[in-house]
Amino acid sequence: MEIRLNQDVYSHNNSLANQNREEFQRSHTLVINIMSSPGAGKTTLLEKTIQSLSKEYRIAVIEGDLATQKDADRIRSLGAYAVQINTNGGCHLDAKMVEKVLPEFDLEKIDILFIENVGNLVCPSKFDLGETHRIAVLSVPEGNDKILKYPVMFQKTELVVVNKTDLTPYLEFSIEQAIEDLKVINPESRLIPLSAKTNEGMEEWLQWVRSVYQKCSKQ
Amino acid sequence: MHEMALMGEIIRLIESDAKEREIKKVEKVELVVGDLSNALPDALQMAFEFYKLQELDFLDSNVTLLIIREKAKAKCISCDLEYEPDFRIAICPICDAPSGKLIAGESFAIKSYTGI
């Protein structure tokens, strides 16, 4: 007998993501899913963000990696609460993995929850985790071609942080070109160039976080 | 290469549906995979072969996988022309505008399965 299922393969993930989202909305927790290639500087960006915003907001982090507690330890050393998810080879986080660790958080006491996804410029973009906002980090050494070569990531995010701008004098990377390429594939997205290392440009990013937090807490 | 995880999800969805309908052996699975779905048919086929070798109770030992490809299609927001884009950046061949709206090619679904 033939069973016509016509079921989207992502449907299960999407319904779990919606459950997560409802839980975040109940506690008015802003959740930002950060995605990038490995080594783009997600953890450094988070470290600097926590240092700058921990007086204003109660911040917690979910760290996604194939193995080790290294990133969670870096976040914990700053006094922020962090839970590490090890995917044991999996190339992305999914809604179920996030749902599983949520009991470890007291969301009522968390204003902003950052989810640092597994370093990968392809797969994570396909999996809704229930986040309020999703952003991509691109770093100067990766080169200008990444936005057009990995369009899905930049189409499914609303903000691109271009990190490591302190290296632009040594590498061929044009911020103007990146802005133009982003306009072609996703006119609604915006780009913030910064260096998490030198703090140059960090204020614009922090302002963005503050503004989305304000919108989220008013809901 | 997340096709392994995706196939795991497909197998899980079919298993739970077959259980509900009291279907003991699944003999054929049909998927619709869009050209822009980020899932590669060959890698899906390979992952399927892996699951077949696991001798799962509800999968017939000769179970087959049929993948129906869905071609990408975009619609120009200025002239309404429907065309097949080269990739996600859909550029209208008449207007040269890069903001074509994708209307097909992103599907990734279990169309049906056959079992006894």
Side-chain angles (χ1 to χ4, degrees), chain A residues 186-199:
Chain A
N186 185 358
E188 277 149 36
S189 183
R190 59 178 284 202
L191 189 146
I192 299 179
L194 59 81
S195 165
K197 191 180 173 193
T198 67
N199 285 326

Side-chain angles (χ1 to χ4, degrees), chain B residues 17-33:
Chain B
D17 191 82
K19 206 170 167 186
E20 252 173 54
R21 296 178 203 265
E22 294 183 359
I23 288 171
K24 301 267 178 286
K25 289 281 177 203
V26 172
E27 296 164 331
K28 187 180 168 188
V29 175
E30 273 189 4
L31 303 180
V32 178
V33 180

Side-chain angles (χ1 to χ4, degrees), chain A residues 82-108:
Chain A
V83 171
Q84 179 81 50
I85 297 176
N86 282 145
T87 61
N88 297 321
C91 54
H92 58 266
L93 291 180
D94 64 32
K96 195 179 189 162
M97 297 177 198
V98 172
E99 186 209 23
K100 236 167 115 182
V101 298
L102 283 189
E104 296 177 45
F105 292 90
D106 184 356
L107 288 177
E108 294 295 336

Side-chain angles (χ1 to χ4, degrees), chain B residues 48-88:
Chain B
F48 185 76
E49 292 305 318
F50 167 82
Y51 279 98
K52 203 167 141 181
L53 290 173
Q54 305 309 302
E55 297 180 353
L56 302 168
D57 277 351
F58 69 101
L59 286 185
D60 187 89
S61 56
N62 291 317
V63 62
T64 54
L65 174 69
L66 178 72
I67 295 177
I68 302 159
R69 303 279 292 265
E70 181 191 77
K71 276 202 179 310
K73 208 196 268 179
K75 189 174 182 174
C76 177
I77 52 167
S78 3
C79 74
D80 276 351
L81 177 80
E82 285 185 13
Y83 59 97
E84 191 184 328
D86 292 336
F87 196 57
R88 293 193 148 259

Side-chain angles (χ1 to χ4, degrees), chain A residues 1-13 91-92 122-123 125-127 148 151-152 155-156 184-185, chain B residues 1-2 5-6 9-10 12-13 17 21 23 36-38 87-89 98 106 108-115:
Chain A
M1 126 168 102
E2 189 189 10
I3 311 294
R4 298 202 156 266
L5 265 187
N6 289 323
Q7 186 170 13
D8 189 299
V9 178
Y10 294 107
S11 60
H12 182 61
N13 184 72
C91 54
H92 58 266
V122 185
C123 315
S125 69
K126 288 300 243 187
F127 292 84
L148 296 180
V152 188
Q155 283 176 324
K156 306 250 179 206
V184 170
I185 62 158
Chain B
M1 168 70 187
H2 59 178
L6 294 171
E9 183 69 13
I10 290 166
R12 205 194 57 76
L13 287 168
D17 191 82
R21 296 178 203 265
I23 288 171
L36 302 178
S37 70
N38 264 24
F87 196 57
R88 293 193 148 259
I89 308 151
E106 289 192 289
F108 184 33
I110 306 169
K111 183 171 179 265
S112 66
Y113 70 91
T114 310

Side-chain angles (χ1 to χ4, degrees), chain A residues 160-173:
Chain A
V160 181
V161 168
V162 174
N163 189 23
K164 308 189 191 181
T165 52
D166 52 305
L167 294 176
T168 42
Y170 314 103
L171 299 163
E172 283 175 22
F173 188 97

Side-chain angles (χ1 to χ4, degrees), chain A residues 4 15 30 53 66 68 81 89 105 129 140 150 176 178 217:
Chain A
R4 298 202 156 266
S15 70
L30 170 71
L53 295 179
L66 269 67
T68 79
Y81 185 69
F105 292 90
L129 307 177
V140 165
Y150 296 82
E176 292 72 30
S217 63

